[in-house]
Amino acid sequence: MTTEFKSPSKPNRYAPRFTQVATFLRAPLAETLDDVDIGLVGVPYDGGLTNRPGARHGPREVRNESSLMRMINHTSRLNPFELCRIADVGDVPFSEILIIESAMKEIQSFFTQLKAANVLPVSVGGDHSISLPILRSLATSGPVAMIHFDAHTDTWADFQGSKFHHGSPFRWAVEENLIDPKKTIQIGIRGAQNITDGWDYSIEKGMRVVFIEELLECGTQAIVEEARRVVGDSPVYLTFDVDGLDPVYAPGTGTPEIGGFSTAQALAMLKGLRGLNFIGGDVVEISPPFDVSGLTSLAGATILYEIVCLMAEGFGPATTQHTP
Ligand code: MN
Ligand code: MN
């Protein structure tokens, strides 16, 4: 008896989930960008970390844990894989990974290729410094809106003499006119700091900063409504730092802060963002060496799936053409 050879680039999604080469959400591995609407990208870069290391291993572990994901969303009943063509487009290739400015250029260059091919990116980091070169590639027609889940505002200035690190991407995104601070909301902010520069910068520039106390007092639905009000119908980038989650739910991260929101609250907020004009998204700061039982990677994989669902709906029957 012979079995027909099937390329690992075209996996059978109904096969047992623990089999074959792991890709993000068990999506096919793209051989070209021609037939891709949403590209799932690994960015295994953590040269911007200021504390516990390991986020460079995030993409591999999220691919592994995302083998657990199935297709049909239990709340929307939609299957994103039926709405558009979703593929794993591999990792950003690096040739100068130890030089942060060069690595950022390599990230930007990869995402510029995706944009040129009309591929909407959803990325897995990597540390949060990767969002700046991604925004540089996407926000080429003016500043975009942003929804940002995190314990930290990531609008701090230099650290140890370096302008670029995982605590500063959105300060430079404002300075470079990539995001509109008045159309930016930061959700889940908390944790003691030695200086207040980052918090002050966000507030002075007009970002809507939702500290964790407000979220816990007002509830996820109020925060969803506020996020929708802030971004309106502008093109919007969604960035999710897993340290926004309480470390009980996401211990595998570089700068954990206790007292965060739960995975259930995170999913409730994400599910409340349907119908917005998403141009891309990322989930970052998963550090497998600090993870316990793969739970942080599984949380990251599930957040990745929900972001993909939000973006796939833009390709649904009602709107066949996505307009970034
Ligand atoms: Mn953070
Ligand atoms: Mn962050």
Side-chain angles (χ1 to χ4, degrees), residues 157-170:
D158 301 12
F159 177 81
Q160 292 278 305
S162 178
K163 180 175 176 183
F164 302 110
H165 56 89
H166 73 156
S168 69
F170 305 120

Side-chain angles (χ1 to χ4, degrees), residues 225-260:
E225 283 163 22
E226 185 66 348
R228 299 185 74 96
R229 182 192 68 75
V230 168
V231 307
D233 56 6
S234 301
V236 57
Y237 189 75
L238 197 165
T239 184
F240 198 115
D241 183 331
V242 295
D243 72 29
L245 293 163
D246 191 277
V248 164
Y249 303 93
T253 195
T255 42
E257 303 284 356
I258 68 158

Side-chain angles (χ1 to χ4, degrees), residues 156-231:
W156 307 79
D158 301 12
F159 177 81
Q160 292 278 305
S162 178
K163 180 175 176 183
F164 302 110
H165 56 89
H166 73 156
S168 69
F170 305 120
R171 189 183 189 108
W172 310 130
V174 170
E175 297 298 316
E176 295 178 26
N177 213 26
L178 305 174
I179 59 172
D180 181 345
K182 295 189 171 59
K183 292 181 178 175
T184 294
I185 184 165
Q186 305 187 294
I187 301 166
I189 308 304
R190 65 187 185 276
Q193 297 285 350
N194 290 332
I195 52 171
T196 62
D197 178 52
W199 300 332
D200 298 341
Y201 183 89
S202 287
I203 292 164
E204 280 162 17
K205 292 292 174 181
M207 292 185 184
R208 178 67 169 90
V209 182
V210 178
F211 283 83
I212 192 66
E213 291 77 11
E214 182 182 357
L215 193 165
L216 296 178
E217 189 179 325
C218 302
T220 53
Q221 196 49 45
I223 302 306
V224 160
E225 283 163 22
E226 185 66 348
R228 299 185 74 96
R229 182 192 68 75
V230 168
V231 307

Side-chain angles (χ1 to χ4, degrees), residues 2-38:
T2 56
T3 307
E4 188 195 348
F5 175 74
K6 205 161 171 26
S7 164
S9 68
K10 296 185 181 64
N12 173 5
R13 299 188 57 82
Y14 295 94
R17 287 175 289 160
F18 50 84
T19 62
Q20 296 296 349
V21 178
T23 59
F24 287 126
L25 309 178
R26 305 180 73 231
L29 191 58
E31 288 168 341
T32 120
L33 297 179
D34 294 341
D35 303 318
V36 182
D37 295 315
I38 294 178

Side-chain angles (χ1 to χ4, degrees), residues 18 27 35 54 92 103-104 115 118 131 180 214 216 222 225 257 292 297 299 302 306 313 321:
F18 50 84
D35 303 318
V92 172
M104 289 174 69
K115 184 175 164 68
N118 284 320
S131 299
D180 181 345
E214 182 182 357
L216 296 178
E225 283 163 22
E257 303 284 356
V292 176
S297 293
T302 311
E306 290 292 343
E313 282 193 57
Q321 189 69 46

Side-chain angles (χ1 to χ4, degrees), residues 37-38 78 80 82-85 120 274-278 309-324:
D37 295 315
I38 294 178
L78 292 173
E82 283 178 353
L83 298 178
C84 62
R85 299 164 299 178
L120 293 184
R274 291 173 68 183
L276 299 181
N277 185 11
F278 290 106
C309 286
L310 291 171
M311 291 180 50
E313 282 193 57
F315 294 91
T319 48
T320 51
Q321 189 69 46
H322 179 84
T323 46

Side-chain angles (χ1 to χ4, degrees), residues 87-149:
D88 186 326
V89 298
D91 287 346
V92 172
F94 290 100
S95 58
E96 294 185 344
I97 202 165
L98 295 182
I99 306 167
I100 190 164
E101 289 81 2
S102 300
M104 289 174 69
K105 279 193 190 121
E106 292 180 312
I107 295 169
Q108 182 181 351
S109 157
F110 189 80
F111 283 84
T112 298
Q113 284 179 54
L114 297 181
K115 184 175 164 68
N118 284 320
V119 175
L120 293 184
V122 187
S123 314
V124 176
D127 73 56
H128 222 154
S129 69
I130 68 167
S131 299
L132 179 60
I134 294 172
L135 284 166
R136 282 174 177 165
S137 75
L138 295 181
T140 51
S141 329
V144 300
M146 191 171 76
I147 299 175
H148 174 198
F149 296 93

